[in-house]
Amino acid sequence: MLDLNRLKALHAVSVYGSVGAAAEALMVTPSAVSQQLAKLERETGATLLERSGRGVRLTDAAGLLADHAERILALVETAEADFEALRGQVVGRLSIGAFPTAARGLMPAALTLLQTRHPDLRLELTEREPERQVREVSRGELDLGVIQDWMNRPVAIPEGLSRATLFDDIADAILPASHPLADRAEIELAELYGERWISSTPGTICHDWLVHTLRSAELEPDIACMADECPTQMALVAGGLGCAIIPRLGRDYVPAGARVVPIRSRPTRRIYALWRTDAARRPAIRAAVEALKVVAADFQCPASPGGPPASERSPGSPATVLPAVSPVSP
């Protein structure tokens, strides 16, 4: 009989292209993956890996077995979900990914609420960029993702995933206090022609979105400083080093040297939870989405553009009703 853990190791090598990358995804050592593959070769009597330059490649036999492994692992996940649904208990392990500002501004309260309601649930949180979360949720490496999706630059969501909207997060211009437009009630983005900008690092969704948004307003992005943390960007703006566009979820306070000015077009990103449709029957998935929606309710209508939501919901607050969700369209 084929061993499930060995099939999982082969599938990971097939997906990630190397033993090292597979080991990282499975959170084990490369030698552990190699040992599993060696045992699988003995079980099947077939060579599964061949040297290719400095790396390895799957043989035809391994490719065939990896295809079967993918279907077997999907069936195992469905069986586990059905069994959990039958018992109706929120137990087991739940791995969750979240992009950086959500990991900081949304997840602590949501995880505390979830752990308080379901103490037998083992929670694991990993900070990830949205595109990586989509891949890892699709592959079953994460059970649930918390994703941001800019309205004017959406993230592609593959078939087989479902999602529920948590809230819409508006982004405002952050200007140095000495800026001529700093005291305006609102501005057009085009009025910031010729400014230098504070941005996230290249390759992040927020950097790509900022460049796209500025160019859509016929502003060529002149990046002065790059930092991934929103408080760091705010501090750089307060120091007079450039302007920024920062979502409200990413701001706990405004430094004395910075001013928040709403943009007339209201740049908005949608925050939503994402999971595999086949796993939707798991009570743990539904409980996690419900907890996220309870906490997210505080972010629906921020009290002002200059700070976080005014209300403070405690972990024991009543739950909102989880709306019906449907598979994402391809």
Side-chain angles (χ1 to χ4, degrees):
M1 180 180 292
L2 295 173
D3 183 271
L4 190 62
N5 287 326
R6 293 164 196 167
L7 290 176
K8 187 178 293 186
L10 177 64
H11 177 254
V13 173
S14 173
V15 169
Y16 292 100
S18 72
V19 170
E24 183 180 355
L26 296 173
M27 292 182 288
V28 298
T29 64
S31 63
V33 173
S34 296
Q35 289 171 23
Q36 293 281 24
L37 294 177
K39 291 176 182 178
L40 187 58
E41 285 188 328
R42 289 196 294 273
E43 279 182 345
T44 59
T47 300
L48 301 177
L49 298 181
E50 293 179 343
R51 287 287 177 188
S52 178
R54 294 187 177 180
V56 295
R57 70 175 184 86
L58 270 62
T59 64
D60 291 342
L64 177 65
L65 192 55
D67 288 342
H68 285 293
E70 183 174 11
R71 291 191 290 272
I72 291 168
L73 294 171
L75 284 171
V76 169
E77 180 181 40
T78 300
E80 290 174 343
D82 285 345
F83 188 68
E84 282 190 32
L86 179 66
R87 293 190 303 171
Q89 297 176 336
V90 182
V91 296
R93 168 182 171 271
L94 189 72
S95 57
I96 305 175
F99 63 93
T101 51
R104 180 169 177 264
L106 183 66
M107 297 310 298
L111 295 180
T112 298
L113 175 58
L114 191 55
Q115 195 72 84
T116 300
R117 289 177 170 177
H118 307 289
D120 293 330
L121 184 62
R122 180 185 172 188
L123 299 171
E124 298 176 1
L125 175 67
T126 304
E127 189 175 290
R128 291 280 192 267
E129 279 289 302
E131 292 90 345
R132 182 171 178 181
Q133 287 189 65
V134 171
R135 294 194 299 270
E136 293 187 350
V137 171
S138 295
R139 294 168 178 164
E141 293 146 27
L142 286 175
D143 297 313
L144 189 73
V146 178
I147 307 293
Q148 61 167 317
D149 191 341
W150 288 98
M151 301 293 197
N152 63 338
R153 198 170 176 84
V155 173
I157 304 299
E159 290 185 78
L161 300 183
S162 294
R163 63 182 172 185
T165 299
L166 300 178
F167 66 99
D168 290 344
D169 191 20
I170 296 172
D172 302 299
I174 313 297
L175 308 180
S178 59
H179 195 283
L181 302 177
D183 294 327
R184 290 269 296 275
E186 61 179 14
I187 59 172
E188 296 283 1
L189 191 55
E191 293 182 81
L192 296 176
Y193 178 84
E195 296 292 344
R196 303 202 74 194
W197 292 91
I198 312 298
S199 168
S200 301
T201 52
T204 60
I205 188 172
C206 286
H207 172 87
D208 295 343
W209 171 81
L210 178 65
V211 170
H212 172 79
T213 299
L214 292 177
R215 286 178 174 161
S216 297
E218 299 185 352
L219 302 176
E220 186 57 31
D222 180 5
I223 307 298
C225 303
M226 290 184 287
D228 288 330
E229 294 289 336
C230 290
T232 305
Q233 293 185 25
M234 297 280 284
L236 292 168
V237 172
L241 298 171
C243 303
I245 302 177
I246 298 180
R248 295 176 186 179
L249 178 62
R251 309 193 307 259
D252 340 49
Y253 70 97
V254 180
R259 297 291 183 270
V260 177
V261 184
I263 299 169
R264 196 161 288 134
S265 61
R266 296 294 187 268
T268 302
R269 62 180 181 176
R270 180 152 291 167
I271 313 299
Y272 57 88
L274 186 76
W275 64 93
R276 290 180 304 287
T277 302
D278 288 344
R281 291 182 295 277
R282 286 188 64 191
I285 294 288
R286 293 193 61 81
V289 175
E290 187 173 342
L292 284 165
K293 291 191 74 68
V294 169
V295 174
D298 283 339
F299 294 92
Q300 295 289 357
C301 299
S304 71
S311 59
E312 295 291 336
R313 187 184 296 273
S314 67
S317 301
T320 54
V321 176
L322 184 64
V325 292
S326 58
V328 176
S329 300

